[in-house]
Amino acid sequence: MVSLRIQNKSKVGLFPALFLVSMFLLISCGGGDGETDSDCAKAFNSSTGEWECIGDSSSGSDNSVSSNLASASPSIQPTAVPTPVISNETEAGRELWVFLTKCVSIDVAHLEINTATKGDWLVKPTSNSPQEFGTWLIKPSGDLIPHNGKAGLWDSYIKGNCDTSFMSPSATDVQNEVGAATALWTQLAKCHPELPVNMLIAQKSQQTGDWVVVSDPSYSMDDYGVWSVERDATIKPLNERAEEVWAALSLSSDEVGSSDPTETAAGCSPVIRNLEEAKDRMYAFLSSCFPELSQSEMKTNRDTIRHVWLVVTDEPYADNTSERKKSIWSVDGEGRIQARNSSAKATMAIVDAGNC
């Protein structure tokens, strides 16, 4: 019984001791200031080496931890990709058509569209388009960029509120090779009626969109030079020989290319324009001393290198022997005569001296 009482007393003394130990542990863990950490999220603070609560705006240490975490993982903003204004060739053609028709009526079907590099488009007039508006580069962004000189003129013309000082839209429709050759022939034939239209060859320039017209080398008549014929029938000489012919026509670039260039009058400074006129000029020169000569017996050809007429005559010698001369002469467009061999020089001396 005595030992039982001793054990009961020991148990009674043990409970107060356990209670005191529990209170000590609670106070040492921070429970004494009324805060608990069981209901907060924690993060390790590398600067202090301790775990700290985060998300509480009232704690300065919590704010520093949050800022550290935010700086450790910055957000990445996606790069915005612009949506293209032009996405296909139909839209590219329509964009240029809207721009061009601010000043000129153009059928949208007269636009030929081709895909270029880097998603761009090249637009030019079709072969049957009455307007030569040049070649344009269309960007997906909607930018319209002139791609050759003709397009540059149209760009200035339209941006200048349709100012015709930059250019004038086509009035005469030159659409193909035959039309270009005929437009030039219409001018040349005013002073060169013997010139057949088939002698002129036209080819379209991919660079300018104009027609380049030259003389067909298979014809032995003459070389009339290299010419440019634009869609509106404006004619321009491109080399020295064409400039000579142009000057002889007495036409100006302002006159040709008007509303009806076929009505422009030519000065026709050449006196001699064909074979028959070259023969007539020779007969007029020789007839004072050799009236028996006949134009029909003269042989005439064209020197396409010197651009003169060559005439061969067979006038008799001064002693009236049966043998006749073979004199060669040249007659230029102005009617000037030159002796081309010794026989012609002897005859010219007789005529000039009047010693017939």
Side-chain angles (χ1 to χ4, degrees):
M1 291 293 293
V2 175
S3 62
L4 182 59
R5 291 190 186 99
I6 294 173
Q7 292 177 357
N8 289 338
K9 291 180 178 180
S10 300
K11 291 179 179 180
V12 172
L14 181 60
F15 287 110
L18 292 175
F19 176 77
L20 293 174
V21 170
S22 299
M23 291 299 294
F24 174 78
L25 293 175
L26 181 61
I27 294 172
S28 64
C29 289
D33 56 1
E35 293 182 356
T36 62
D37 56 6
S38 60
D39 57 351
C40 72
K42 292 186 177 182
F44 184 76
N45 191 337
S46 58
S47 61
T48 62
E50 297 180 355
W51 290 89
E52 298 179 355
C53 289
I54 61 174
D56 186 356
S57 60
S58 62
S59 173
S61 61
D62 290 346
N63 290 338
S64 63
V65 173
S66 298
S67 62
N68 289 337
L69 291 176
S71 61
S73 56
S75 60
I76 300 176
Q77 298 295 330
T79 302
V81 178
T83 302
V85 177
I86 309 297
S87 59
N88 54 58
E89 62 179 30
T90 301
E91 294 177 355
R94 180 71 62 174
E95 190 77 9
L96 178 61
W97 177 81
V98 170
F99 177 71
L100 295 177
T101 52
K102 290 179 180 179
C103 295
V104 181
S105 176
I106 296 176
D107 190 339
V108 71
H110 289 160
L111 274 65
E112 180 180 327
I113 308 164
N114 297 293
T115 302
T117 58
K118 299 180 181 180
D120 301 334
W121 293 271
L122 283 174
V123 184
K124 62 181 182 179
T126 59
S127 58
N128 63 338
S129 171
Q131 297 291 345
E132 175 57 70
F133 48 80
T135 303
W136 295 76
L137 182 69
I138 315 299
K139 306 292 266 183
S141 61
D143 292 335
L144 308 177
I145 303 174
H147 202 57
N148 63 1
K150 180 69 71 174
L153 288 176
W154 274 74
D155 188 56
S156 300
Y157 166 65
I158 295 174
K159 290 180 178 178
N161 296 320
C162 312
D163 185 355
T164 55
S165 64
F166 292 103
M167 57 150 278
S168 296
S170 299
T172 303
D173 192 2
V174 179
Q175 297 185 5
N176 50 42
E177 293 91 341
V178 175
T182 302
L184 177 59
W185 175 84
T186 300
Q187 302 304 323
L188 297 181
K190 292 175 179 179
C191 292
H192 303 277
E194 77 287 352
L195 174 67
V197 68
N198 293 336
M199 181 184 170
L200 301 174
I201 301 175
Q203 188 173 14
K204 193 169 187 179
S205 169
Q206 297 300 322
Q207 183 178 3
T208 63
D210 301 335
W211 301 94
V212 177
V213 186
V214 298
S215 304
D216 188 342
S218 63
Y219 283 83
S220 60
M221 296 185 64
D222 203 350
D223 171 25
Y224 289 89
V226 183
W227 302 80
S228 168
V229 178
E230 298 183 11
R231 184 67 66 92
D232 62 356
T234 298
I235 298 171
K236 296 178 181 177
L238 297 182
N239 68 350
E240 184 177 353
R241 173 55 183 161
E243 290 175 353
E244 293 175 359
V245 175
W246 187 256
L249 290 174
S250 300
L251 296 172
S252 68
S253 58
D254 293 335
E255 293 172 319
V256 178
S258 61
S259 59
D260 190 357
T262 60
E263 297 300 322
T264 305
C268 293
S269 60
V271 177
I272 308 302
R273 298 176 296 179
N274 52 48
L275 296 172
E276 294 303 321
E277 291 180 356
K279 291 180 181 180
D280 292 343
R281 177 71 182 95
M282 280 306 310
Y283 178 76
F285 175 71
L286 297 174
S287 59
S288 60
C289 289
F290 303 95
E292 72 280 4
L293 287 178
S294 171
Q295 293 98 313
S296 61
E297 296 177 356
M298 297 180 183
K299 297 179 181 179
T300 311
N301 205 345
R302 182 71 174 175
D303 185 340
T304 59
I305 297 177
R306 295 181 176 87
H307 313 296
V308 295
W309 302 100
L310 296 178
V311 183
V312 179
T313 61
D314 57 352
E315 69 276 7
Y317 284 96
D319 57 5
N320 290 321
T321 61
S322 59
E323 185 180 0
R324 301 176 73 88
K325 299 178 181 179
K326 292 295 182 183
S327 301
I328 302 176
W329 313 82
S330 68
V331 181
D332 66 12
E334 302 298 326
R336 292 185 290 262
I337 297 174
Q338 287 186 344
R340 302 297 293 271
N341 65 355
S342 58
S343 175
K345 290 178 181 178
T347 298
M348 179 172 279
I350 295 174
V351 174
D352 288 344
N355 188 19
C356 302

